[in-house]
Amino acid sequence: MTTGSGVGVLDKAAAILNALENGPTSLSQLVELTEISRPTVHRIAQSLVHHGLVGRDMHGRFELGNRLVELASAAGEDRLVSAAGPVLIKLRDLTGESTQIFRKQGDFRVCIASAERPIGLRDTIPVGTQLSMKAGSAAQILLAWEDNERMVEGLHHARFTPTILAGVRRRGWAQSLGEREPGVASVSAPVRGQSGRVIAALSLSGPIERLTRQPGKIHHEAVTSAAHELSELLRVQNDRA
């Protein structure tokens, strides 16, 4: 757990919310991630549920609540979205391909920012689009650094394998060929939050005929560099907040 503020119950509540940053989490996982006793985690998490700051998914796992979305909207901006715009545009202009940011929400990944190739054949993914967590390089990124329980669950019926995810963790990037949609290739890299956890996937996508059957060989350096730049921008913003 990170250094506390001196107000114990608030520090524990913050640790629980931070642990939920990457998606639905069981009580046992919360105990492991926060290093807080099981009864205390359960009591505080239930209180956060009461106030709408934490919710429960269909499997009973804890997840960030709708009230946090409302508060974020009231604050006037989503730091990830606002920071992502210039990075995505720069990557698009460098590579000539469409670029996106995906965030895991429940059983889906959602496009929260994009910069489309202006002309010619392109992969169009509007902001707000929900896509499967079972296919595509962004899904591989969002699953590759999960704990074992979530990974096993995520791999059920997935188009990729544990071996592929092991390669993603080793390289630090993922690629896909026609996994999500026939004829479409993509390359993705992780965007990390303040704690170092993967909070989003930065992706580049386009037709296989242009990206070739080895899109990672061509674009992984540009994609990983952009993801690292965005992670650093978020770190600086958090330090200033």
Side-chain angles (χ1 to χ4, degrees):
M1 200 162 44
T2 57
T3 303
S5 66
V7 183
V9 67
L10 292 181
D11 291 337
K12 292 181 175 67
I16 290 170
L17 292 172
N18 287 336
L20 297 176
E21 180 181 26
N22 206 35
T25 305
S26 68
L27 179 60
S28 297
Q29 290 169 333
L30 278 180
V31 172
E32 180 181 351
L33 291 168
T34 62
E35 299 180 358
I36 302 170
S37 69
R38 188 181 184 93
T40 300
V41 167
H42 185 262
R43 175 172 54 84
I44 295 176
Q46 286 296 108
S47 295
L48 292 170
V49 170
H50 174 77
H51 289 287
L53 299 174
V54 168
R56 305 292 287 267
D57 71 3
M58 62 184 296
H59 303 293
R61 298 173 299 184
F62 294 99
E63 61 183 358
L64 294 176
N66 291 332
R67 181 59 180 150
L68 290 174
V69 177
E70 296 168 358
L71 291 172
S73 297
E77 68 172 5
D78 181 316
R79 286 178 181 167
L80 175 56
V81 172
S82 62
V87 176
L88 291 179
I89 291 171
K90 183 166 70 172
L91 180 61
R92 179 201 64 190
D93 292 346
L94 175 65
T95 63
E97 301 297 343
S98 298
T99 57
Q100 309 90 26
I101 298 289
F102 291 96
R103 179 187 279 158
K104 187 175 183 296
Q105 292 184 8
D107 295 329
F108 297 94
R109 55 183 170 105
V110 178
C111 179
I112 62 170
S114 68
E116 290 186 9
R117 174 186 169 97
I119 59 173
L121 187 62
R122 59 191 181 272
D123 184 32
T124 300
I125 304 175
V127 171
T129 301
Q130 286 188 335
L131 297 176
S132 171
M133 277 293 295
K134 304 297 185 181
S137 63
Q140 294 175 30
I141 290 293
L142 294 171
L143 189 61
W145 282 272
E146 288 278 29
D147 59 43
N148 187 66
E149 182 179 336
R150 285 179 181 164
M151 189 177 297
V152 170
E153 181 181 339
L155 283 166
H156 189 59
H157 294 314
R159 298 285 301 277
F160 42 81
T161 65
T163 301
I164 289 175
L165 294 188
V168 169
R169 291 191 298 274
R170 184 178 64 253
R171 294 190 308 263
W173 54 270
Q175 68 176 2
S176 68
L177 296 168
E179 276 188 11
R180 172 177 61 83
E181 184 177 339
V184 173
S186 67
V187 183
S188 298
V191 177
R192 298 182 182 273
Q194 184 78 351
S195 66
R197 297 182 68 193
V198 176
I199 60 171
L202 185 151
S203 299
L204 173 152
S205 62
I208 291 177
E209 63 185 57
R210 196 165 59 234
L211 269 66
T212 78
R213 300 196 67 81
Q214 292 184 306
K217 183 177 181 179
I218 300 172
H219 293 299
H220 79 270
E221 289 185 0
V223 173
T224 54
S225 177
H228 178 73
E229 179 183 355
L230 181 52
S231 298
E232 284 298 300
L233 285 171
L234 294 174
R235 182 187 63 78
V236 171
Q237 287 184 356
N238 284 326
D239 288 344
R240 290 174 178 171

